[in-house]
């Protein structure tokens, strides 16, 4: 079971770069946000273990000089579809 938005691709954003994504599990309704969101890639819900595609994505911006994604926060690679497909940490992609 996967949750996916309407449209051509699996995600609202269809570019090559990393972006900011908002997720909501269709099963448990858990919501989360990630600064490691990619086109046509989902993230696994930590409760339900199903792949969830973001319903909203926007460019990574730096409001007032600060990146909205917290760099000190550890990225759960085991839940990230992009990391799993690459076989390594998705943030290494330039």
């Amino acid at each position: 079971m996967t949750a996916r938005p309407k449209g051509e691709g699996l995600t609202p954003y269809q570019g090559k770069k990393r972006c900011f994504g908002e997720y909501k599990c269709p099963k448990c309704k858990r919501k989360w946000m990630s600064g490691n969101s990619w086109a046509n890639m989902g993230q696994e819900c930590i409760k339900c273990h199903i792949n969830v595609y973001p319903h909203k994505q926007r460019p990574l911006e730096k409001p007032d000089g600060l990146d909205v994604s917290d760099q000190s926060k550890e990225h759960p690679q085991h839940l990230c579809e992009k990391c799993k497909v690459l076989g390594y940490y998705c943030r290494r992609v330039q």
Side-chain angles (χ1 to χ4, degrees):
M1 181 181 168
T2 58
R4 47 178 293 199
K6 295 153 197 71
E8 285 303 300
L10 297 169
T11 55
Y13 171 69
Q14 289 297 304
K16 296 258 176 269
K17 291 187 168 133
R18 186 167 62 90
C19 66
F20 190 82
E22 293 182 32
Y23 301 79
K24 184 181 178 185
C25 179
K27 209 168 157 188
C28 71
K29 308 295 182 228
R30 183 178 164 272
K31 291 179 183 175
W32 71 94
M33 289 185 242
S34 173
N36 293 302
S37 193
W38 302 86
N40 305 317
M41 292 284 166
Q43 293 186 2
E44 197 177 297
C45 174
I46 54 171
K47 278 186 179 171
C48 304
H49 306 290
I50 60 169
N51 195 44
V52 179
Y53 291 103
H55 60 85
K56 202 188 264 182
Q57 284 175 309
R58 63 180 188 273
L60 281 174
E61 285 161 8
K62 296 186 177 177
D64 305 322
L66 297 168
D67 191 329
V68 288
S69 68
D70 185 355
Q71 300 297 323
S72 65
K73 229 172 143 191
E74 203 168 305
H75 174 56
Q77 296 178 44
H78 64 291
L79 301 174
C80 175
E81 188 181 5
K82 180 86 172 179
C83 286
K84 289 184 203 170
V85 168
L86 291 170
Y88 56 84
Y89 185 30
C90 69
R91 287 282 274 276
R92 294 208 323 236
V93 176
Q94 294 306 319

